[in-house]
Amino acid sequence: MEISLLSPTTQFLLPSFSKPNRRVHFYKPLKLRCSVAGGPAVGSSKIDGGGTTVTADCVIVGGGISGLCIAQALATKHPDAAPNLIVTEAKDRVGGNIITREENGYLWEEGPNSFQPSDPMLTMVVDSGLKDDLVLGDPTAPRFVLWNGKLRPVPSKPADLPFFDLMSIGGKIRAGLGALGLRPPPPGREESVEEFVRRNLGDEVFERLIEPFCSGVYAGDPAKLSMKAAFGKVWKLEQNGGSIIGGTFKAIQERKKAPKTERDPRLPKPKGQTVGSFRKGLTMLPEAISARLGSKVKLSWKLSGISKLESGGYNLTYETPEGVVSVHSKTVVMTVPSHVASSLLRPLSESAANALSKLYYPPVAAVSISYPKEAIRTECLIDGELKGFGQLHPRTQGVETLGTIYSSSLFPNRAPPGRILLLNYIGGSTNTGILSKSEGELVEAVDRDLRKMLIKPNSSDPLKLGVRVWPQAIPQFLVGHFDILDTAKSSLTSSGHEGLILGGNYVAGVALGRCVEGAYETANEVSNILSRYAYK
């Protein structure tokens, strides 16, 4: 994810979730749109005991967005590297925690909500055949932060900086001077997001912009999140240029000097800073990729163990609908959550497993509710309509909800005429008590918060569409995160487990777009490893 600390491009999403939900409410029995994958893969044969053995160049463990995109990246960018490729998923559907619901004229998300349309993301979209289904939010739509009882717009461009009322004149001057380098020097140790922002840009930028942004994107505590790990691009600006502004100018100069690369002419050209989805929601992407991969995707395959083969490569034992299947593969990519990977990798490397077990995933609930248009406060309307991406709520403002996305304003055909669809996130590192609340209590908490700033106090009760609680939602990139990852990776390498690769959102980043960018990086790593096999 790319952000500017002076002008946050707040996507108002909680981008990647990592464990089956505790409960869900919806109108009718769930109808899943998913690919149906067949039995054992290419190169299979029966073995004693009635089982089956399968040979593969690469096994990707996990059929969420990271695993599927790694598979597609291998197929499109490295078609000769891993012709015998398998993606295994323990559930009976692909997509992991991307979950789109559709009922009675409503279309809503219960996991990630949208993505930033970077070129890698758009490449994945086009290669999946979804270019014509892509929908983008209006880049001029405002974003809001709650402060002192009022929803205040966030500046979207430099020209807005002198006029927006979210910060005082003194706070703006402090931020500008700090960005130029008139601030205390770095402390010589890894800083939290809070430490970095207060030191560079002042208290107001942190309290009114960055703290709610951290809550809305990571559901995290900025006093514990690592600036280097969570917002590395901004952290590097100070490292490379001596200040945020200095680093920005240096980065611009380096881009001008870099060789020009031609942009893929197939890709759409988004206008301005915006977010994207698809005509029928985010679930279209994993389903489209799975359909293209066909029988390479194995559903309801539960991995029970991994061992190293004497001949090189790995043996993976699966419990499948067809019985026990053993897969012999040259490479393995683990895209499951870190705590799942920890359990599976413990027999291979105790130290790698211990490192992965240290990563923390707080709980988050996605609460989708609807109101009639007339329930929106008059002062929150623009030209008579609710317009904008959504709103974020600093923890100091007396509300429990982390943020609210204006789903029916952001993308078309998300709610029936005359209705407003709002996706609300509640919970996170600073509010783990949501796990003890019922669906009704969560809806009541969200409704109570919204009536303080967006919904008229005397409006009728909202229509509840879906409440999904994720007990372990988003991996937290805390101070020391990279050290934990380095320990896990180096432990696997030093114990002779080359070709066993860690992937997924705790490696690449929590935003959906970063998962896709990381997929291309992982596919390149797999290709390089397999190319060395060819010369052995």
Side-chain angles (χ1 to χ4, degrees), residues 111-129:
N113 171 77
S114 58
F115 55 81
Q116 196 171 24
S118 63
D119 278 2
M121 185 76 215
L122 293 175
T123 299
M124 191 65 64
V125 169
V126 171
D127 287 343
S128 302

Side-chain angles (χ1 to χ4, degrees), residues 210-231:
I210 303 307
E211 186 273 325
F213 185 82
C214 288
S215 295
V217 174
Y218 278 90
D221 182 351
K224 298 178 181 179
L225 286 171
S226 164
M227 188 68 195
K228 179 180 179 180
F231 302 111

Side-chain angles (χ1 to χ4, degrees), residues 59-61 66 70 306 331-346 348-349 351-353 355-357 359 484-493 497-508 518-519 521-523 525-526 529:
V59 171
I60 299 169
V61 182
S66 293
I70 291 168
I306 307 176
T331 57
V332 177
V333 182
M334 303 290 291
T335 69
V336 292
S338 61
H339 44 90
V340 178
S342 173
S343 297
L344 291 168
L345 296 178
R346 191 164 296 279
L348 298 179
S349 172
S351 58
L356 292 175
S357 69
L359 300 182
I484 291 173
L485 278 183
D486 289 344
T487 297
K489 292 178 179 180
S490 62
S491 296
L492 290 173
T493 301
H497 294 99
E498 184 187 23
L500 182 52
I501 300 168
L502 301 178
N505 60 358
Y506 70 92
V507 177
E521 296 163 5
T522 301
E525 185 178 356
V526 171
I529 293 172

Side-chain angles (χ1 to χ4, degrees), residues 67 122 232 242 295 316 331 344 409-410 424-425 438 444 471 494 497 499:
L122 293 175
S295 62
L316 296 89
T331 57
L344 291 168
S409 301
L410 186 56
N424 309 271
Y425 294 107
S438 67
E444 288 174 7
S494 62
H497 294 99

Side-chain angles (χ1 to χ4, degrees), residues 57-308:
D57 299 307
C58 180
V59 171
I60 299 169
V61 182
I65 195 63
S66 293
L68 291 170
C69 288
I70 291 168
Q72 175 147 298
L74 281 168
T76 57
K77 301 298 183 183
H78 312 278
D80 299 324
N84 292 335
L85 169 71
I86 301 174
V87 180
T88 65
E89 171 55 50
K91 300 175 188 173
D92 62 357
R93 64 172 184 84
V94 294
N97 302 300
I98 291 179
I99 298 177
T100 305
R101 303 287 185 218
E102 185 174 11
E103 194 69 45
N104 291 351
Y106 290 97
L107 183 75
W108 71 95
E109 305 285 355
E110 294 193 336
N113 171 77
S114 58
F115 55 81
Q116 196 171 24
S118 63
D119 278 2
M121 185 76 215
L122 293 175
T123 299
M124 191 65 64
V125 169
V126 171
D127 287 343
S128 302
L130 294 177
K131 182 177 180 179
D132 292 339
D133 293 292
L134 179 68
V135 292
L136 298 173
D138 179 1
T140 66
R143 301 152 167 90
F144 300 95
V145 169
L146 175 67
W147 193 258
N148 287 341
K150 180 182 177 182
L151 292 172
R152 303 172 190 271
V154 173
S156 59
K157 54 185 182 296
D160 296 337
L161 292 174
F163 307 106
F164 77 106
D165 67 351
L166 182 57
M167 290 173 55
S168 69
I169 294 177
K172 295 173 186 178
I173 293 173
R174 168 65 179 88
L177 293 175
L180 289 169
L182 298 175
R183 79 304 180 236
R189 56 172 172 77
E190 185 174 3
E191 287 182 287
S192 69
V193 172
E194 179 175 0
E195 290 172 325
F196 180 94
V197 176
R198 286 190 188 275
R199 179 175 61 81
N200 275 279
L201 301 172
D203 295 340
E204 287 194 19
V205 170
F206 172 75
E207 294 164 0
R208 307 183 190 193
L209 288 171
I210 303 307
E211 186 273 325
F213 185 82
C214 288
S215 295
V217 174
Y218 278 90
D221 182 351
K224 298 178 181 179
L225 286 171
S226 164
M227 188 68 195
K228 179 180 179 180
F231 302 111
K233 290 184 178 180
V234 178
W235 176 83
K236 287 179 182 177
L237 294 177
E238 183 185 28
Q239 296 294 309
N240 295 338
S243 69
I244 292 175
I245 295 296
T248 300
F249 281 123
K250 187 173 182 180
I252 293 172
Q253 292 171 350
E254 290 174 351
R255 280 198 296 269
K256 289 181 178 180
K257 295 178 182 178
K260 301 296 181 182
T261 56
E262 185 177 351
R263 188 173 187 265
D264 188 338
R266 303 176 304 155
L267 303 186
K269 296 180 179 180
K271 297 179 181 179
Q273 292 282 357
T274 186
V275 294
S277 182
F278 302 101
R279 179 177 51 84
K280 287 294 185 179
L282 289 181
T283 193
M284 292 188 75
L285 181 58
E287 289 176 0
I289 296 174
S290 181
R292 287 178 175 255
L293 293 172
S295 62
K296 295 179 185 295
V297 178
K298 305 300 180 184
L299 302 180
S300 300
W301 276 38
K302 183 179 180 181
L303 180 60
S304 58
I306 307 176
S307 60
K308 187 75 181 291

Side-chain angles (χ1 to χ4, degrees), residues 28 238 301 309 381 400 408 472:
K28 293 181 180 179
E238 183 185 28
W301 276 38
L309 294 170
L381 299 175
E400 192 174 358
S408 52
Q472 291 176 284

